[in-house]
């Protein structure tokens, strides 16, 4: 089983226009661009971060979902924006220890023989290590991390616990 680890793409930026000369940041509302559709996990996390930043920065932080082309549309908007040499990091903006990432993994049915799992693991790892695949993922703003089945078995419950805490702290409930 392998995972492809891609950082969630949240981008804070504002429209171009004189911000570098302004004495304080931010002087206008901040747009937090999410290159995925509203309602998904990236959107939910962005809205939680936006709520926190609105309070800590003293300016409205607005989530702007720009889905399409597997995230390229939103990512290009940010890349072409004028995204401010003095822009604080998320930690500097009052969210220390912030880390969010998406990951994908291949799974097999319980009871699949270890030899089959090892073969699939090796075949997928070969694909993920190829220069063409590395370039494709880099162009999409993702990075490849290859993990073993044992590493994934350890990671999944830790990740579930982390996001359960985030949901609980945000007051979310299962419906």
């Amino acid at each position: 089983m392998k995972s492809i680890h891609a950082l969630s793409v949240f981008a804070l930026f504002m429209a171009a226009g004189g911000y570098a000369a302004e004495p304080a940041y931010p002087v206008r509302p901040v747009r937090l661009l999410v290159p995925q559709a509203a309602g998904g996990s990236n959107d939910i996390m962005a809205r939680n971060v936006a709520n926190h930043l609105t309070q800590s920065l003293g300016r409205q932080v607005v989530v702007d979902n720009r889905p399409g082309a597997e995230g390229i549309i939103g990512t290009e908007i940010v890349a072409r924006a004028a995204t401010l040499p003095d822009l604080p990091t998320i930690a500097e903006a009052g969210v220390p220890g912030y880390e969010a990432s998406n990951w994908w993994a291949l799974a097999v049915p319980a009871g699949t023989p270890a030899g089959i799992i090892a073969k699939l693991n090796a075949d997928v790892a070969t694909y993920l290590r190829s220069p063409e695949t590395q370039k494709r993922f880099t162009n999409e703003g993702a990075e490849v991390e290859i993990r073993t089945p044992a590493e994934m078995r350890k990671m999944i419950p830790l990740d579930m616990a982390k996001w359960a805490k985030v949901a609980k702290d945000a007051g979310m409930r299962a419906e």
Side-chain angles (χ1 to χ4, degrees):
M1 180 168 35
K2 290 288 157 237
S3 83
I4 302 167
H5 181 82
L7 295 179
S8 295
V9 183
F10 294 135
L12 290 172
F13 77 100
M14 297 188 286
Y19 288 99
E22 298 292 342
Y25 173 84
V27 295
R28 297 184 186 165
V30 176
R31 182 165 49 150
L32 190 146
L33 192 128
V34 180
Q36 286 89 28
S41 61
N42 292 321
D43 177 59
I44 292 166
M45 179 54 72
R47 290 178 191 283
N48 289 330
V49 170
N51 287 335
H52 176 81
L53 290 177
T54 292
Q55 292 179 16
S56 68
L57 296 174
R59 291 284 181 186
Q60 183 69 38
V61 176
V62 179
V63 174
D64 182 2
N65 296 88
R66 296 293 183 101
E70 295 292 325
I72 293 172
I73 292 172
T75 303
E76 283 183 348
I77 291 170
V78 175
R80 291 184 179 140
T83 335
L84 297 175
D86 297 323
L87 183 67
T89 65
I90 289 180
E92 292 168 340
V95 191
Y98 175 85
E99 178 188 339
S101 62
N102 289 335
W103 54 265
W104 298 271
L106 299 180
V108 296
T112 300
I116 292 173
I117 294 171
K119 173 154 180 37
L120 291 171
N121 184 298
D123 288 348
V124 172
T126 298
Y127 165 73
L128 293 174
R129 286 187 183 107
S130 76
E132 298 84 22
T133 302
Q134 293 284 326
K135 183 178 179 182
R136 185 176 303 129
F137 280 92
T138 298
N139 289 342
E140 296 291 332
E143 61 185 63
V144 175
E145 286 186 11
I146 299 168
R147 301 200 179 199
T148 66
E151 290 170 327
M152 290 303 297
R153 281 191 291 275
K154 289 179 185 175
M155 189 181 94
I156 290 170
L158 294 174
D159 215 43
M160 289 175 67
K162 173 178 123 177
W163 292 112
K165 181 180 180 330
V166 168
K168 181 181 177 190
D169 290 351
M172 301 168 120
R173 301 178 299 154
E175 294 184 12

